[in-house]
Amino acid sequence: MTPNLKHLHPYPFEKLAQLKQGIVPPANQPHIALSMGEPTHATPHLIQEALLTHLHGLANYPTTKGIPELRQAIAGWINRRFQIPADAVNAETQVLPVNGTREALFSFAQCIIDPTKAAPAPDRLAAYTPSLAIPTPVVIMPNPFYQIYEGAALLAGAEPYFLNTLEDSGYLPDFDAVPDEIWQRCQLIYICSPGNPTGSVIDQASHEKLLNLAEKYDFVIASDECYTEIYDDESNPPPGLLQTAYNMGNTAFKRCVIFHSLSKRSNAPGLRSGFVAGDAEILKHYFQYRTYHGCAMPLPTQHASIQAWQDEHHVVENRRLYREKFAAFIDILGDVCTVIKPPASFYVWLKTPISDTDFARQLFAEQNITVLPGSYLSRDFGDINPGLNHVRIALVAPLDECIEAAQRIKNFLNSL
Ligand SMILES: Cc1ncc(COP(=O)(O)O)c(C=O)c1O
């Protein structure tokens, strides 16, 4: 076994199951699940129909690269969504289909991290693995985070370095706070915008800063943008990393790879469909890696995905449904606590008056509602744990259930 396996942390939902173990919630109140980021709005018919129409595609092995029509549909979506010229993204060399962003975010680090990279400068030797005199690679990521980033870094033999995202800084990472020594060893950074669990959005100026750092220190930026289509202001969609790179003149998207998904955008988490796009040189190697990894997207899924990326009506409607739920939820809970409406995502990142684990346990025991303790999504770093005393509430349930949940959470808060 790889010894790196022992560094992996239990997944947040394993911890949550433990926390709830043995508790019998009130039987007269139906359970409301707001812990997982699993959309429950209907999967659009056009996706289902395309899947059925192309079931015969199961008779063929799909290719890792995917069919050209899918890569073209994705490239077309990128240039419409991020307002870059139609030929800015080369569907042949700068786009690859992936089976949801999770597997791609994980496998990407396995391909990118080079444990043998670069001899250290003599005065930096102490910071490196002493027996090898080779710098331990660093993977930077937000804290709290989507835990796949951490697991990917650890299994790739890298050291995770966390960027605490706190209320004071609008729940955004502060790239200026990273020491030079860490940037020197950084080979990969994961950013997540809109963020899970805070819903904060990284603006173009911060993208620019990071792109300049990536050039200076020569690291790769993996931009997880899987919530980018769930936003509040219809006239102000979250910017994407490729968009900023292009506008800065980095038209080859050097050192940039974006990760997108149909799971949240198109309510199709079971389809397992997404894509990566960006730097052709990086994707050439990642393509080779994926060929061996064996993660080609089934043909019916590719055809369903083409339909999804070409349609925006269902996405606009999806956003309307989330907006409706945020408004109702905040309207009810706003009387008893401060609920910050995030600019994007479907999460409420709520401060708790008692510890986050006690809050989640008692809320389940008394109101039969499951939410996720914030500390299950974060690590102690620099004397703080930014997830402590927060819970993540995913407004994924139907509107009436979200309203019912808000009322029960209000009763619970009043009873504390
Ligand atoms: C931040 C973030 N990235 C990636 C994913 C993975 O999504 P999928 O694999 O369905 O594309 C999730 C899922 O919840 C997520 O929250």
Side-chain angles (χ1 to χ4, degrees):
M1 299 277 174
T2 164
N4 291 331
L5 270 175
K6 68 175 182 296
H7 300 305
L8 295 181
H9 292 253
Y11 213 60
F13 297 107
E14 278 174 61
K15 293 188 193 169
L16 184 61
Q18 286 262 305
L19 184 79
K20 290 167 63 182
Q21 209 171 33
I23 299 174
V24 183
N28 59 341
Q29 287 181 322
H31 180 238
I32 303 180
L34 304 175
S35 49
M36 259 178 99
E38 180 182 38
T40 62
H41 302 164
T43 306
H45 282 300
L46 59 91
I47 293 183
Q48 298 177 357
E49 275 158 27
L51 202 55
L52 289 174
T53 309
H54 289 90
L55 272 186
H56 59 273
L58 294 178
N60 299 102
Y61 273 120
T63 61
T64 303
K65 206 164 178 182
I67 55 176
E69 294 85 340
L70 173 60
R71 280 180 281 109
Q72 276 149 15
I74 291 169
W77 179 81
I78 296 172
N79 72 56
R80 286 193 303 279
R81 170 61 176 82
F82 296 117
Q83 296 167 358
I84 51 181
D87 58 355
V89 175
N90 184 327
E92 191 52 31
T93 59
Q94 293 179 314
V95 175
L96 279 178
V98 299
N99 294 327
T101 46
R102 182 183 180 130
E103 66 90 353
L105 288 161
F106 176 80
S107 58
F108 192 63
Q110 316 315 308
C111 171
I112 291 294
I113 297 301
D114 176 1
T116 68
K117 191 180 172 191
D123 60 335
R124 297 189 186 283
L125 272 175
Y128 306 124
T129 312
S131 57
L132 300 173
I134 286 174
T136 306
V138 163
V139 176
I140 302 180
M141 63 197 72
N143 184 33
F145 53 39
Y146 181 52
Q147 195 162 309
I148 297 300
Y149 312 149
E150 184 194 46
L154 292 169
L155 282 183
E159 174 188 328
Y161 181 91
F162 299 109
L163 287 171
N164 292 340
T165 56
L166 299 161
E167 189 180 7
D168 296 353
S169 51
Y171 296 113
L172 289 165
D174 178 5
F175 302 124
D176 291 329
V178 179
D180 184 68
E181 183 270 321
I182 295 296
W183 286 127
Q184 300 270 1
R185 288 194 285 141
C186 177
Q187 293 187 14
L188 174 66
I189 182 169
Y190 286 106
I191 54 172
C192 184
S193 176
N196 169 7
T198 66
S200 57
V201 170
I202 297 179
D203 64 13
Q204 302 219 30
S206 300
H207 275 155
E208 278 177 28
K209 181 178 282 181
L210 187 61
L211 281 156
N212 287 330
L213 286 162
E215 190 179 351
K216 177 170 174 195
Y217 293 101
D218 192 22
F219 59 82
V220 175
I221 309 171
S223 183
D224 180 353
E225 302 180 359
C226 77
Y227 290 96
T228 196
E229 299 312 278
I230 315 291
Y231 52 87
D232 184 42
D233 181 354
E234 209 58 40
S235 66
N236 190 22
L241 184 69
L242 296 194
Q243 182 176 16
T244 310
Y246 191 89
N247 292 338
M248 279 172 78
N250 178 358
T251 53
F253 310 121
K254 279 280 165 225
R255 301 182 185 81
C256 303
V257 176
I258 57 170
F259 294 70
H260 280 262
S261 172
L262 292 174
S263 300
K264 327 282 180 186
R265 173 187 181 270
S266 299
N267 302 315
L271 190 65
R272 310 312 303 132
S273 176
F275 69 82
V276 292
D279 187 325
E281 185 59 24
I282 296 174
L283 291 191
K284 186 174 85 185
H285 296 291
Y286 186 45
F287 167 67
Q288 185 190 21
Y289 176 94
R290 292 181 67 74
T291 310
Y292 279 84
H293 198 70
C295 40
M297 182 186 286
L299 277 167
T301 309
Q302 294 194 46
H303 284 283
S305 305
I306 292 172
Q307 295 304 314
W309 291 117
Q310 286 177 340
D311 182 69
E312 288 300 325
H313 293 292
H314 73 277
V315 192
V316 174
E317 170 61 7
N318 204 24
R319 282 195 287 274
R320 191 190 65 74
L321 293 174
Y322 284 119
R323 227 170 265 136
E324 201 172 49
K325 292 195 279 189
F326 268 108
F329 195 82
I330 293 174
D331 190 41
I332 296 166
L333 267 188
D335 293 348
V336 286
C337 62
T338 308
V339 188
I340 300 172
K341 181 158 86 167
S345 85
F346 46 55
Y347 296 117
V348 173
W349 185 233
L350 189 74
K351 279 196 210 159
T352 54
I354 53 177
S355 91
D356 51 310
T357 43
D358 286 348
F359 186 96
R361 194 193 307 105
Q362 290 179 31
L363 184 67
F364 178 62
E366 293 169 28
Q367 302 289 342
N368 206 1
I369 293 177
T370 306
V371 297
L372 190 64
S375 58
Y376 290 3
L377 294 166
S378 59
R379 301 282 174 255
D380 292 339
F381 198 72
D383 294 338
I384 24 178
N385 185 327
L388 279 178
N389 300 329
H390 287 78
V391 285
R392 191 189 76 177
I393 302 176
L395 294 188
V396 286
L399 176 64
D400 56 343
E401 280 188 41
C402 286
I403 291 175
E404 169 70 21
Q407 265 147 2
R408 287 197 224 162
I409 295 172
K410 183 174 178 173
N411 295 343
F412 173 69
L413 282 167
N414 281 333
S415 74
L416 287 176

